[in-house]
Amino acid sequence: MSMQHVRSLSTFCPEGQFKLLDRLKEFTLLRVLDLEGCKDVKNHHMEQVCRLFLLRFLSLRHTDVTEIPCEIEKLQHLQRLDLRETLLGGAPQSLINLEKLEILDLSNRNNWRVLLKLPKGLRKMKALQRLDRFELGDDAEVAKEIGELVQLRHLGIVLIHSTEQVRESLAHSIGKITSLHSMTIENIGGSNMNFLEGLNSPPQILRAICICGAIDRFPSWVESHKQLADIYVYNTGLHGDQIFGVLCKLPNLVKLSLDKYSYTDEQLCARTEFKFPVLKMLFLVPDYGTPKVVRFEKEAMARLEKLTMRYSREDRSLQGLEHLTSLKELKLQGIKSNEALRREVDLARTESKTREKSKQFLVVVQYE
């Protein structure tokens, strides 16, 4: 069988593909190569893959590949490279020579701490639209180069013990990327996230933001942003009304997620004056710690339709469910033996039954 005219190749069985993989070099006109989940892919097959010069799409997702050769730079037509859930410990610096690459994803399924460190010369990748969960090292010049990726739509950066100069350069770069739709900034070093206040001209079409790291308060530009629709925070260590009291002003906020250590006080209160004009989904999913009580006052979050609360092993409680008049689904998660969870399930089901049939909500229990 001739392989020379095949344009797209996908594998659907995780095993039994050795004969096919050993003939990869014969697929000279191949544009799409999807090897997701194929356990027969070995490092030595990458030599053949790097000779498929017309490839536009390459997926090695969930394979056991541990190394990508520097010859990957020969795939000058490559637009998407999916390296998620592999066993890779990194990627060669020669990736910066893939000037047509639009989407680059990398993760190690056995170690979430494995990150690809952004190399010098990143500015060459002008076509990049998605860059997710990459480590920004201690080189301020690389942080500046991010600002030259003018087509970037999603940026995911992890800061590890970064210097003040690097953080300031990153803030300046973010302000230059007018095409940015979503952004994740994660700090797992010793510094805080206050540098985001220095973002003088935030992307105006930014729709989603994830802030992961200690911060004194939300940057002032967040509370005045007109397009933000999805906000996720964890490890921020905020308190008082620093979350609800600020974000309630956003005219297009539809989804809000609060994860572990996002809030330090025992009680988190959605006050009457916190209107949240279009908020429909609220996720309160810390593994442990505060808040212990989440309270809704009358007329707060009047349009909320879906509420998720994670109890895990903690003694938590929801107060004021009767004020969430638009609620359609309440999802409660936690350990089955958790008395607080069982109590809340009973109270929620009772509250739902007291409503008119059209106003009742579904109570979903998810045991861990």
Side-chain angles (χ1 to χ4, degrees):
M1 178 180 176
S2 175
M3 308 297 183
Q4 295 180 356
H5 300 293
V6 176
R7 299 294 197 276
S8 179
L9 176 63
S10 300
T11 57
F12 298 99
C13 297
E15 298 177 342
Q17 308 293 334
F18 284 116
K19 289 184 178 180
L20 178 65
L21 293 170
D22 289 341
R23 298 182 63 184
L24 279 176
K25 63 178 180 292
E26 300 176 31
F27 293 83
T28 54
L29 298 181
L30 203 62
R31 265 68 165 177
V32 175
L33 179 58
D34 186 355
L35 299 175
E36 180 176 346
C38 183
K39 299 304 179 183
D40 291 337
V41 180
K42 306 300 178 186
N43 287 346
H44 70 267
H45 291 125
M46 293 308 302
E47 180 182 349
Q48 295 189 58
V49 171
C50 291
R51 294 169 62 185
L52 302 175
F53 304 120
L54 298 180
L55 274 185
R56 266 74 166 169
F57 175 95
L58 173 59
S59 176
L60 299 172
R61 185 174 184 176
H62 217 282
T63 65
D64 293 340
V65 171
T66 62
E67 185 177 355
I68 298 292
C70 61
E71 287 78 14
I72 191 79
E73 67 179 355
K74 295 179 180 180
L75 304 182
Q76 284 295 303
H77 296 282
L78 199 62
Q79 296 174 352
R80 176 161 187 172
L81 179 57
D82 190 346
L83 303 175
R84 288 174 292 178
E85 301 174 59
T86 61
L87 298 179
L88 289 168
Q93 184 162 340
S94 61
L95 280 179
I96 63 172
N97 295 319
L98 299 176
E99 297 184 15
K100 292 184 179 180
L101 195 65
E102 297 176 1
I103 299 175
L104 175 58
D105 291 302
L106 180 147
S107 66
N108 184 304
R109 65 177 180 269
N110 290 341
N111 186 356
W112 62 269
R113 294 179 178 83
V114 171
L115 303 169
L116 178 61
K117 193 169 184 177
L118 293 177
K120 283 186 177 180
L122 185 68
R123 59 166 55 94
K124 295 170 64 176
M125 305 178 77
K126 290 288 196 296
L128 267 182
Q129 296 180 17
R130 177 180 172 86
L131 193 60
D132 190 35
R133 210 163 187 278
F134 285 75
E135 178 187 347
L136 178 59
D138 56 2
D139 192 330
E141 287 303 313
V142 176
K144 291 177 182 178
E145 289 187 34
I146 292 174
E148 299 184 40
L149 304 179
V150 294
Q151 297 191 56
L152 208 59
R153 295 169 62 86
H154 173 76
L155 174 64
I157 291 292
V158 180
L159 300 169
I160 302 179
H161 302 293
S162 59
T163 64
E164 183 177 354
Q165 184 182 12
V166 166
R167 297 192 297 274
E168 289 177 353
S169 296
L170 176 60
H172 181 71
S173 288
I174 292 172
K176 294 170 63 177
I177 309 173
T178 58
S179 58
L180 211 56
H181 281 66
S182 59
M183 176 173 69
T184 297
I185 306 295
E186 183 177 356
N187 182 19
I188 55 178
S191 57
N192 58 44
M193 304 283 280
N194 293 335
F195 73 92
L196 289 174
E197 182 65 45
L199 213 170
N200 295 322
S201 55
Q204 293 303 302
I205 60 174
L206 191 66
R207 297 280 293 169
I209 184 171
C210 176
I211 298 177
C212 313
I215 193 168
D216 289 344
R217 62 182 180 86
F218 279 112
S220 55
W221 55 266
V222 169
E223 60 185 287
S224 61
H225 204 288
K226 303 298 183 184
Q227 300 301 321
L228 278 174
D230 184 352
I231 296 179
Y232 180 98
V233 296
Y234 76 86
N235 284 345
T236 48
L238 296 170
H239 57 87
D241 293 334
Q242 287 185 319
I243 296 181
F244 286 169
V246 172
L247 303 184
C248 67
K249 305 169 187 176
L250 296 178
N252 286 300
L253 184 63
V254 175
K255 179 182 177 183
L256 175 59
S257 304
L258 308 181
D259 210 324
K260 63 181 180 180
Y261 302 127
S262 60
Y263 190 76
T264 59
D265 291 352
E266 291 289 310
Q267 179 171 278
L268 177 62
C269 181
R271 306 186 191 283
T272 297
E273 59 267 30
F274 299 164
K275 299 302 183 183
F276 286 95
V278 297
L279 188 70
K280 293 184 182 298
M281 294 175 282
L282 176 62
F283 297 87
L284 305 165
V285 290
D287 293 330
Y288 41 81
T290 54
K292 299 294 186 182
V293 178
V294 180
R295 182 164 59 90
F296 301 92
E297 294 184 354
K298 190 175 182 180
E299 297 180 2
M301 298 188 179
R303 297 194 178 184
L304 192 69
E305 295 181 359
K306 183 174 182 178
L307 172 61
T308 297
M309 179 81 161
R310 188 174 186 185
Y311 286 70
S312 193
R313 299 178 183 274
E314 300 290 316
D315 182 7
R316 290 199 171 95
S317 69
L318 283 171
Q319 297 178 5
L321 276 181
E322 66 273 16
H323 298 141
L324 301 178
T325 55
S326 298
L327 195 63
K328 295 180 179 179
E329 179 183 302
L330 173 63
K331 180 181 288 186
L332 302 172
Q333 304 171 326
I335 304 299
K336 194 170 185 178
S337 59
N338 189 331
E339 290 289 342
L341 174 60
R342 293 209 294 262
R343 179 188 67 238
E344 205 65 63
V345 170
D346 292 340
L347 291 172
R349 286 172 175 166
T350 299
E351 167 59 28
S352 179
K353 289 177 182 178
T354 63
R355 301 187 180 193
E356 296 178 12
K357 193 166 185 178
S358 61
K359 295 289 185 179
Q360 291 181 359
F361 55 88
L362 178 66
V363 179
V364 178
V365 186
Q366 193 172 64
Y367 294 117
E368 299 172 346

